[in-house]
């Protein structure tokens, strides 16, 4: 295929090379998706058996499409209808995942709070609180150790998230506004995505799907919303901790399930899109159908063994040439149209997204490419500030500090040099008079350092 791509880029024999390239790419994508769906289907079923199965309408609808369009054969309008149905399933999963993301963010806030409250009930001698300057020095050595700039930036954002928040709301909003200002030369859609992420981190973004996952989880969140964290007893703390652990594990399980499900949907989507063009009479399809039709008692291990190495081989084949698809649509669109190949290449373009690993890209979303500019940034900032101020009025100091920490950690790194980082760390630690929170922070950072292989000297 590399020779085809080179000839197309030079404009050679396009009436032959364009359809041949499209055909060969469809063949590879069809086989790759068949292998992936076979493996992922087996893994997903194993997970469902462990979690006692998902019988949702989405899964039933997906299984019906697989039965008719992959195990069976659909052509013409029936195939197009199956693609539309699969697209609708995918869009539904994306909406559910947005709700799950906001749910995870809510639980992260309460976990953050509980981690800091916990040390009120621990033995005072369990963890030694170092001198503020000594603790600052240790953290700075950890943050700046190594030459990987990406790793250093990650450590900075984690420290901002985990350090005690001891700043005025005025300072917080100054940092928020400055952080958003970095996006003034970005597309408006990028700014909107960033605002959505900040809103979710701050527990402001909550939609119908957030509260549509489980009544039990809703009850737990409602209970945490009403907790008096200042006067919390050890007995109350232990009960809340157990409930929070249950909620986190439950939601993470649901997230894992939907991530695997949308991978299945994506591979099935690729198979249906490539079916009209690909050579479907192949070993990969035979193995896929065998696995899809297998009962719980059937041994499919031999079928899976037969697929070993195929995924890597087909990935290598298409990944070296897929860049040409967008180039052809951008630079050869008129010729593609004249050869009546536009449906094929538009399908190929969609397939590249489905196989990119970005499982939650919304195909139908309108992307606003207009550059935001400072006026747009200020408008969005003012909206976010107003929502945050309302939130802060309605919640306790501990909740507000947790939200501030998560929002600040989501901003671009706002330090200009090591001295500013050091001043921020020392100010956060020395300004914290809550011994329990200091102990919690030391424990959290000690764990982080040990996991990174950083030598912690007590």
């Amino acid at each position: 295929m590399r020779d085809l791509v080179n000839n197309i880029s030079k404009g050679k024999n396009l009436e032959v090379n364009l359809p041949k390239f499209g055909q060969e790419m469809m063949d590879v994508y069809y086989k790759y998706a068949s292998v992936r769906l076979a493996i992922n289907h087996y893994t997903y079923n194993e997970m469902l058996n462990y979690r006692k199965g998902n019988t949702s309408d989405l899964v039933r609808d997906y299984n019906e499409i697989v039965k008719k369009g992959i195990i069976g054969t659909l052509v013409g309008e029936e195939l197009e209808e199956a693609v539309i149905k699969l697209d609708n399933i995918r869009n539904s999963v994306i909406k559910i995942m947005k709700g799950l993301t906001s749910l995870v963010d809510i639980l992260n806030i309460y976990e953050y709070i509980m981690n800091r409250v916990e040390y009120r009930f621990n033995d005072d001698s369990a963890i030694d609180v170092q001198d503020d300057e000594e603790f600052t020095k240790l953290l700075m050595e950890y943050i700046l150790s190594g030459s990987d700039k990406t790793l250093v930036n990650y450590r900075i954002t984690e420290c901002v998230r985990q350090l005690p928040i001891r700043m005025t709301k005025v300072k917080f909003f100054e940092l928020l506004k400055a952080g958003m200002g970095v996006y003034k030369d970005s597309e408006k859609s990028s700014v909107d995505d960033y605002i959505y992420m900040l809103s979710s981190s701050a527990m402001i973004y909550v939609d119908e799907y957030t509260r549509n996952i489980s009544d039990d989880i809703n009850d737990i969140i409602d209970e945490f919303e009403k907790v008096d964290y200042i006067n919390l007893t050890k007995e109350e703390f232990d009960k809340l901790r157990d409930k929070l652990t249950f909620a986190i594990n439950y939601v993470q399980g649901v997230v894992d399930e939907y991530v695997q499900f949308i991978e299945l949907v994506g591979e099935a989507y690729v198979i249906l899109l490539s079916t009209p063009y690909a050579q479907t009479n192949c070993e990969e399809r035979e193995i896929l159908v065998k696995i899809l039709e297998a009962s719980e008692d059937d041994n499919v291990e031999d079928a899976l063994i037969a697929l070993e190495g195929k995924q890597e081989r087909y990935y290598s084949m298409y990944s070296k040439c897929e860049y040409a698809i967008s180039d052809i649509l951008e630079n050869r669109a008129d010729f593609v149209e004249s050869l009546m190949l536009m449906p094929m290449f538009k399908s190929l373009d969609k397939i590249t997204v489905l196989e990119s690993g970005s499982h939650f890209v919304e195909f139908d979303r309108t992307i606003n490419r207009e550059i935001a500019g400072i006026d747009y940034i200020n408008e969005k900032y003012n909206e976010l500030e107003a929502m945050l101020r309302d939130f802060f009025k309605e919640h306790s100091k501990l909740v507000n500090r947790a939200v501030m920490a998560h929002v600040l950690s989501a901003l671009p790194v706002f330090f200009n040099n090591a001295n500013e980082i050091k001043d921020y760390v020392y100010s956060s630690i020395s300004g914290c008079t809550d011994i329990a929170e200091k102990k919690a922070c030391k424990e959290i950072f000690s764990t982080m350092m040990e996991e990174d292989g950083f030598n912690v000297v007590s």
Side-chain angles (χ1 to χ4, degrees):
M1 280 194 295
R2 295 297 295 272
D3 289 339
L4 283 174
V5 170
N6 290 333
N7 287 333
I8 290 170
S9 67
K10 296 173 183 177
K12 292 183 178 179
N13 203 11
L14 294 180
E15 64 276 5
V16 173
N17 288 329
L18 280 173
K20 189 175 181 181
F21 170 72
Q23 172 76 53
E24 291 190 13
M25 286 295 286
M26 284 296 191
D27 285 345
V28 173
Y29 278 128
Y30 182 88
K31 292 176 180 177
Y32 178 77
S34 296
V35 173
R36 291 270 299 164
L37 183 58
I39 295 171
N40 290 342
H41 176 84
Y42 176 80
T43 304
Y44 183 71
N45 276 1
E46 289 289 300
M47 181 195 68
L48 286 190
N49 290 335
Y50 176 77
R51 286 177 56 81
K52 299 181 181 178
N54 184 338
T55 57
S56 71
D57 291 340
L58 291 177
V59 174
R60 283 193 291 268
D61 291 345
Y62 162 80
N63 286 333
E64 188 66 21
I65 292 170
V66 167
K67 181 180 178 181
K68 292 181 178 179
I70 296 178
I71 296 175
T73 303
L74 294 176
V75 295
E77 291 184 1
E78 289 184 333
L79 179 60
E80 291 177 7
E81 289 174 4
V83 170
I84 292 170
K85 288 179 181 178
L86 205 54
D87 190 65
N88 290 336
I89 291 171
R90 185 174 178 275
N91 288 335
S92 295
V93 176
I94 290 172
K95 290 177 181 177
I96 291 169
M97 279 301 297
K98 284 186 176 181
L100 282 166
T101 299
S102 67
L103 199 53
V104 169
D105 286 332
I106 290 169
L107 294 175
N108 282 341
I109 294 292
Y110 290 126
E111 183 180 34
Y112 178 99
I113 295 168
M114 294 293 281
N115 285 344
R116 280 145 181 77
V117 173
E118 178 180 3
Y119 284 87
R120 294 181 196 166
F121 310 110
N122 285 1
D123 181 359
D124 287 342
S125 62
I127 293 180
D128 175 48
V129 178
Q130 292 171 299
D131 175 80
D132 294 340
E133 291 186 3
E134 191 177 322
F135 193 17
T136 299
K137 181 181 177 183
L138 177 65
L139 275 182
M140 289 301 297
E141 289 176 357
Y142 166 66
I143 292 170
L144 301 177
S145 63
S147 57
D148 187 337
K149 186 176 180 181
T150 301
L151 179 59
V152 170
N153 283 341
Y154 170 76
R155 288 174 176 171
I156 292 171
T157 57
E158 274 300 289
C159 284
V160 169
R161 189 165 71 92
Q162 297 295 349
L163 282 167
I165 291 292
R166 294 299 183 270
M167 69 172 62
T168 64
K169 290 187 179 70
V170 171
K171 180 63 176 177
F172 167 75
F173 283 118
E174 284 178 0
L175 291 173
L176 176 58
K177 189 171 187 177
M180 286 183 57
V182 173
Y183 284 79
K184 65 181 176 63
D185 295 324
S186 302
E187 295 174 352
K188 287 185 176 180
S189 287
S190 297
V191 176
D192 295 341
D193 288 343
Y194 188 57
I195 294 293
Y196 156 73
M197 186 268 290
L198 292 177
S199 300
S200 184
S201 297
M203 298 201 296
I204 293 172
Y205 173 83
V206 177
D207 66 13
E208 60 182 298
Y209 294 95
T210 306
R211 290 293 197 155
N212 199 31
I213 303 301
S214 164
D215 290 338
D216 290 338
I217 303 301
N218 291 341
D219 291 342
I220 291 172
I221 291 174
D222 290 340
E223 186 172 354
F224 270 89
E225 186 80 16
K226 300 170 186 174
V227 171
D228 179 3
Y229 295 100
I230 300 299
N231 298 307
L232 198 63
T233 66
K234 177 69 164 63
E235 182 181 1
E236 291 169 335
F237 173 85
D238 288 340
K239 289 180 180 178
L240 285 170
R241 171 63 80 185
D242 289 343
K243 290 180 180 181
L244 182 62
T245 300
F246 165 79
I248 290 172
N249 290 339
Y250 180 89
V251 171
Q252 187 57 57
V254 176
V255 169
D256 291 343
E257 185 175 325
Y258 276 107
V259 168
Q260 289 198 33
F261 180 56
I262 203 168
E263 288 181 6
L264 292 183
V265 172
E267 300 305 342
Y269 206 150
V270 172
I271 290 172
L272 294 187
L273 287 175
S274 57
T275 290
Y277 311 101
Q279 296 293 330
T280 60
N281 185 20
C282 57
E283 180 189 19
E284 290 77 12
R285 181 182 185 278
E286 291 177 5
I287 295 173
L288 170 60
V289 171
K290 181 178 180 180
I291 291 174
L292 291 174
E293 291 184 319
S295 67
E296 290 184 12
D297 298 328
D298 289 336
N299 187 346
V300 299
E301 290 184 3
D302 289 341
L304 289 170
I305 290 172
L307 296 177
E308 287 184 1
K310 289 180 177 289
Q311 178 176 317
E312 293 77 13
R313 180 156 62 92
Y314 293 132
Y315 173 79
S316 177
M317 291 173 66
Y318 82 72
S319 63
K320 293 175 182 177
C321 299
E322 66 178 354
Y323 72 91
I325 296 168
S326 58
D327 286 348
I328 289 168
L329 285 172
E330 183 176 347
N331 301 314
R332 308 285 182 187
D334 290 344
F335 209 98
V336 169
E337 193 75 61
S338 70
L339 295 174
M340 294 184 289
L341 296 174
M342 190 56 76
M344 173 194 279
F345 275 90
K346 283 189 175 180
S347 290
L348 282 171
D349 191 43
K350 185 171 283 189
I351 287 172
T352 63
V353 176
L354 290 166
E355 294 295 11
S356 69
S358 301
H359 303 301
F360 300 99
V361 172
E362 299 174 72
F363 291 129
D364 298 332
R365 181 188 171 196
T366 301
I367 304 297
N368 190 341
R369 303 288 185 190
E370 185 180 349
I371 299 302
I374 195 62
D375 289 341
Y376 189 79
I377 297 293
N378 287 337
E379 176 189 341
K380 293 299 176 181
Y381 166 77
N382 290 335
E383 292 174 2
L384 181 59
E385 180 187 346
M387 289 188 289
L388 282 168
R389 288 192 182 279
D390 288 342
F391 181 93
F392 291 155
K393 289 176 185 177
E394 297 170 0
H395 292 81
S396 67
K397 186 180 292 185
L398 277 175
V399 173
N400 291 343
R401 285 175 175 172
V403 165
M404 290 167 71
H406 282 75
V407 170
L408 290 175
S409 69
L411 299 177
V413 173
F414 46 82
F415 305 108
N416 295 311
N417 51 56
N419 283 334
E420 288 188 9
I421 302 173
K422 181 180 178 181
D423 289 344
Y424 183 89
V425 171
Y426 180 76
S427 175
S428 296
I429 296 169
S430 62
C432 178
T433 57
D434 186 336
I435 300 301
E437 185 171 7
K438 274 194 175 183
K439 288 184 175 184
C441 285
K442 181 179 179 186
E443 180 72 2
I444 290 167
F445 285 121
S446 293
T447 301
M448 287 171 56
M449 293 177 197
E450 289 171 6
E451 289 177 349
D452 277 357
F454 184 78
N455 186 26
V456 180
V457 181
S458 298

